[in-house]
Amino acid sequence: MSQVVESPLEAGRDAVRRRDWEVAYPLLSAADAAEQLSPQDLELLSEAALWAGVFQSYMDVTERAYKGYLEAGNLARAGYIATLLAHDYGAQLQPSVASGWLARAKRHLDEAEEAPEHGYWALQRSLVALGEHDYDEAFRQGKYAEEIGKRFGDRSLEIRGIQRQGAALLEKGQVAEGKLLLDEASAAAVGGELDPYSTLVVYCNTIGACREVADFDSAGQWTDRASQFCDSNSMSAFPGMCRVNHAEVMRFKGRFNEAETLAGEAGEQLRTWCPRIAGAAFYELGETRLRLGELAQAEQAFREADEHGKNPEPGHSLLRLARGDAQGAWTSIKRLLSDDSIGMAARTTFLPAGIDIAVAAGELESAEHFAKELDTASESFETSALKAAAAFAHGKIRLAQGDADGAESCFRKARTFWEATGAGYDSARAREQRGLALRLGGDEEAAVWELEAAAARFERLGAVRDAERVAEHLMRDVSKAVMKTFVFTDIVGSTELASSLEDRHWNNVLRRHDETLRVIFADHGGQVVDHTGDGFFAAFEDPAEALDAAIAIQRAISQEFEFDLRIGVHRVGALQREQNYHGKGVHAAARIGAAAQGQEILVSRETLADLGQFSTANDRDIALKGFKEDVPVCSVDWS
């Protein structure tokens, strides 16, 4: 009895038909090693490599398929493969290579009779146009792809063209029309009308559209469907991309540990194969860590996102705000929001952060302008999360304006919308701000109720910095009590000096001044707490070391610089949190420094209580703003 053994090529083809990629890839690879495959079979091998996750092989084999079609004179198919390569090199952040492949594809297709391949080129051109914010061109190319698909009976091409048009219309602000087209495409994917690759593309684009307009309920549902589709079709390449989508949904729901794990896994999995999507994963990681209060780790994730081609905004600006740099955050977010070419849907991802930062920076007019824009977007897209963000934005503005009742109403509305969508973290933000509005309106009992609820939610979510901030509102301070000697320095008449000198010269002078003071502080065991402009805030354990440092500073300034410095020194109890200090004692020390004259070290008498080694003069009592009783002070002789 004889037995017919199926060849690796035939077995590989059969495995492709079954979508058994783990079997198809080694079989077709073996066939490729044994014989010269046709370009059609090379296409099957590249498809198997893609879904099996063998990415380097996928690119190599795809280029070989292109050459095979070109040598065979099949210009239409060569153009199609070149279009695929343009897309893939774009995903690998090689724009020049991608552009070259797209141009090569166009040249081949121009020499071929019109066919479905022309429509797939139009899809890629539409995607490029969306990235360039040329929404009219994106719509035109999507429409052409749809028409080609209809003419040749290619339902996948037709539907993907419709989806491209819908995405372009959303960015143009034609929301109703855009939604209808996106819904039509989604229905076709759910109905099993498309090939596997196109089905997943439609799923991913639908998820992206939902996320962009903060429709996280729908995004979560589509993410689940896409993951199930990948599992049922043995597609191991795409779950990494699905995890990015899933991570953002988890972040929105306040499930930060899950979001961090998902985003981290996706970033590592896609780092080499698809840097563009890896960038999105690292950005999500940064946003999650920002909410967890891990600022250094968030910065690292945003840097990774930037290196992988993902704009790290608005996360990077929010990070600057979290570190207390409201003006720097405003400068960066304002630059982003001044780009009028960004479409309406994309702008909704930046506007809430822009408003928060504008309010923190005191730019209320700009905040109101952005809030009106957010109102328009929330009315157009009709998603609960956007309505919540708009209400929250108006609450922040009214609170800054002193309108307690108006702010309270806005925050209450925002909380209602956010809780309806399961947004635990943002709901806590709304409760915190409502508590502050109630306090401003005089209802302390209600304010404490809201603040305690916000603190409890933040603590449960692991949002440490937010919990600490609310604890401060409640005066349930998490700081530790310490006794320190605080030193404040300031250049006298710095504004006039700066205006009288060239910018370059003044900057050099300031740099020398800063270096001089930092060295002296370090030599005497001082900690630089803050440095703003031309002033320093330092803390010392030993009051004698603090005064020795102050004396050394005045002597250095008198010998090396042409301006005067004033210094205030005060030993007092304070509350320490991390590397910062706060409390009434710190305010008193700062005001003593402000009361000093040029070339003076002004020190409180209680600081000198046990220090007889310093010569003093000009004893006096001074009034400090915000303090009921005068404070006895004197000058320390440093000459």
Side-chain angles (χ1 to χ4, degrees):
M1 179 179 292
S2 63
Q3 183 175 0
V4 177
V5 179
E6 190 177 25
S7 72
L9 180 56
E10 287 300 329
R13 290 170 178 167
D14 184 59
V16 169
R17 284 190 289 271
R18 299 194 314 269
R19 299 175 189 170
D20 190 348
W21 310 111
E22 299 296 334
V23 171
Y25 176 71
L27 285 170
L28 291 172
S29 294
D32 186 39
E35 60 183 293
Q36 183 174 348
L37 297 186
S38 69
Q40 291 86 349
D41 286 325
L42 286 173
E43 265 199 85
L44 295 181
L45 176 56
S46 72
E47 184 179 11
L50 172 65
W51 299 123
V54 189
F55 304 124
Q56 186 55 51
S57 175
Y58 163 74
M59 293 296 290
D60 293 341
V61 174
T62 303
E63 291 198 23
R64 288 172 56 205
Y66 162 77
K67 292 176 183 177
Y69 281 124
L70 195 60
E71 290 171 359
N74 190 341
L75 295 181
R77 206 62 190 166
Y80 170 75
I81 299 296
T83 300
L84 292 183
L85 289 165
H87 177 274
D88 294 331
Y89 276 111
Q92 293 186 25
L93 303 181
Q94 298 185 50
S96 296
V97 178
S99 180
W101 276 109
L102 195 59
R104 186 180 300 182
K106 180 68 164 60
R107 187 171 65 252
H108 296 326
L109 292 169
D110 284 346
E111 297 179 24
E113 291 186 8
E114 193 172 62
E117 286 82 358
H118 292 76
Y120 286 99
W121 185 93
L123 284 179
Q124 180 60 22
R125 180 67 192 95
S126 179
L127 181 63
V128 172
L130 283 172
E132 295 170 344
H133 304 157
D134 188 350
Y135 305 120
D136 290 332
E137 173 68 5
F139 181 86
R140 282 193 298 271
Q141 294 292 348
K143 185 67 174 174
Y144 177 64
E146 177 197 2
E147 292 169 353
I148 291 287
K150 285 180 178 177
R151 194 177 312 153
F152 288 91
D154 188 333
R155 183 63 169 158
S156 295
L157 175 58
E158 177 187 350
I159 288 299
R160 289 172 63 185
I162 287 172
Q163 190 172 60
R164 282 279 188 270
Q165 294 170 66
L169 289 175
L170 280 187
E171 297 295 357
K172 284 164 64 68
Q174 298 175 28
V175 178
E177 300 92 328
K179 278 186 172 181
L180 282 174
L181 294 179
L182 292 176
D183 288 345
E184 182 180 349
S186 301
V190 171
E193 301 175 29
L194 315 180
D195 65 73
Y197 181 84
S198 295
T199 299
L200 198 54
V201 167
V202 170
Y203 282 162
C204 286
N205 288 340
T206 300
I207 294 165
C210 292
R211 290 165 53 215
E212 201 166 53
V213 299
D215 186 359
F216 289 101
D217 282 339
S218 296
Q221 295 166 15
W222 281 107
T223 297
D224 291 341
R225 187 177 289 274
S227 297
Q228 292 164 7
F229 184 82
C230 286
D231 292 340
S232 64
N233 286 273
S234 302
M235 295 172 172
S236 62
F238 272 77
M241 301 181 190
C242 292
R243 274 198 289 270
V244 178
N245 299 326
H246 197 189
E248 184 170 3
V249 174
M250 291 301 98
R251 171 170 63 82
F252 179 76
K253 300 288 187 183
R255 292 159 61 177
F256 297 140
N257 290 334
E258 291 177 61
E260 187 174 26
T261 299
L262 287 164
E265 288 177 351
E268 292 305 322
Q269 182 183 21
L270 298 167
R271 184 190 292 273
T272 55
W273 156 238
C274 193
R276 182 174 60 84
I277 305 299
F282 288 124
Y283 178 82
E284 269 309 309
L285 188 60
E287 283 272 20
T288 301
R289 288 173 170 172
L290 187 59
R291 283 156 180 75
L292 287 168
E294 300 169 354
L295 302 191
Q297 295 91 329
E299 180 179 10
Q300 179 59 35
F302 288 138
R303 288 187 183 279
E304 288 260 34
D306 190 31
E307 290 172 5
H308 286 80
K310 166 67 176 173
N311 182 355
E313 294 293 352
H316 183 249
S317 291
L318 290 171
L319 175 63
R320 296 179 73 173
L321 180 64
R323 286 174 164 166
D325 184 10
Q327 289 301 323
W330 170 240
T331 299
S332 60
I333 201 72
K334 179 175 63 174
R335 184 167 54 246
L336 176 69
L337 287 170
S338 65
D339 184 354
D340 294 331
S341 69
I342 300 175
M344 177 189 285
R347 285 180 71 81
T348 62
T349 62
F350 305 123
L351 285 168
I355 296 163
D356 273 356
I357 292 169
V359 170
E363 301 286 345
L364 296 187
E365 185 176 344
S366 294
E368 288 181 319
H369 172 75
F370 294 147
K372 290 177 182 176
E373 190 177 349
L374 190 56
D375 285 339
T376 301
S378 67
E379 291 166 4
S380 298
F381 295 115
E382 297 183 330
T383 61
S384 295
L386 277 184
K387 291 176 181 177
F392 188 83
H394 285 290
K396 291 291 290 286
I397 294 167
R398 292 183 182 182
L399 188 61
Q401 293 171 335
D403 180 2
D405 292 340
E408 186 277 331
S409 176
C410 290
F411 293 132
R412 181 159 30 90
K413 182 179 179 181
R415 177 195 168 192
T416 300
F417 278 123
W418 269 323
E419 288 193 342
T421 60
Y425 176 79
D426 288 311
S427 175
R429 290 174 62 219
R431 297 200 74 168
E432 175 193 0
Q433 294 300 315
R434 183 169 182 251
L436 298 180
L438 288 166
R439 175 172 285 170
L440 182 64
D443 191 344
E444 182 63 18
E445 183 177 346
V448 169
W449 178 278
E450 289 296 299
L451 291 171
E452 286 181 340
R457 175 67 63 83
F458 284 137
E459 288 168 1
R460 284 199 303 274
L461 296 177
V464 177
R465 289 175 62 87
D466 296 289
E468 290 181 356
R469 182 184 62 248
V470 179
E472 288 183 6
H473 296 324
L474 288 163
M475 301 179 192
R476 200 175 65 207
D477 207 293
V478 296
S479 305
K480 63 179 180 180
V482 296
M483 180 65 70
K484 296 281 184 178
T485 302
F486 297 113
V487 174
F488 284 84
T489 75
D490 183 45
I491 295 175
V492 178
S494 60
T495 302
E496 292 77 12
L497 278 168
S499 62
S500 66
L501 300 173
E502 292 182 2
D503 289 345
R504 182 181 301 175
H505 179 53
W506 176 241
N507 288 335
N508 288 334
V509 170
L510 274 183
R511 190 178 301 110
R512 286 174 48 230
H513 160 269
D514 294 349
E515 291 172 354
T516 299
L517 268 63
R518 286 185 184 277
V519 168
I520 293 173
F521 285 138
D523 287 346
H524 293 272
Q527 170 206 347
V528 175
V529 180
D530 195 18
H531 171 219
T532 305
D534 56 7
F536 278 87
F537 168 25
F540 292 77
E541 291 287 345
D542 186 346
E545 289 285 2
L547 286 166
D548 285 336
I551 291 170
I553 288 170
Q554 287 290 23
R555 289 175 176 169
I557 294 296
S558 69
Q559 293 170 8
E560 302 177 29
F561 297 90
E562 298 178 358
F563 53 73
D564 294 336
L565 204 70
R566 57 184 167 217
I567 301 177
V569 182
H570 184 41
R571 180 167 176 78
V572 69
L575 293 170
Q576 179 179 0
R577 180 160 55 89
E578 298 178 355
Q579 300 301 310
N580 210 340
Y581 303 86
H582 59 100
K584 290 189 68 176
V586 176
H587 299 316
R591 288 179 169 85
I592 289 171
Q597 304 298 313
Q599 299 186 342
E600 184 178 27
I601 299 173
L602 188 62
V603 58
S604 61
R605 264 293 168 191
E606 64 182 280
T607 302
L608 292 165
D610 298 318
L611 302 176
Q613 67 267 44
F614 297 99
S615 175
T616 63
N618 196 13
D619 286 73
R620 60 195 188 271
D621 293 340
I622 61 173
L624 302 180
K625 184 178 180 181
F627 292 80
K628 293 181 179 179
E629 299 179 0
D630 291 351
V631 176
V633 297
C634 61
S635 299
V636 170
D637 181 14
W638 55 268
S639 59

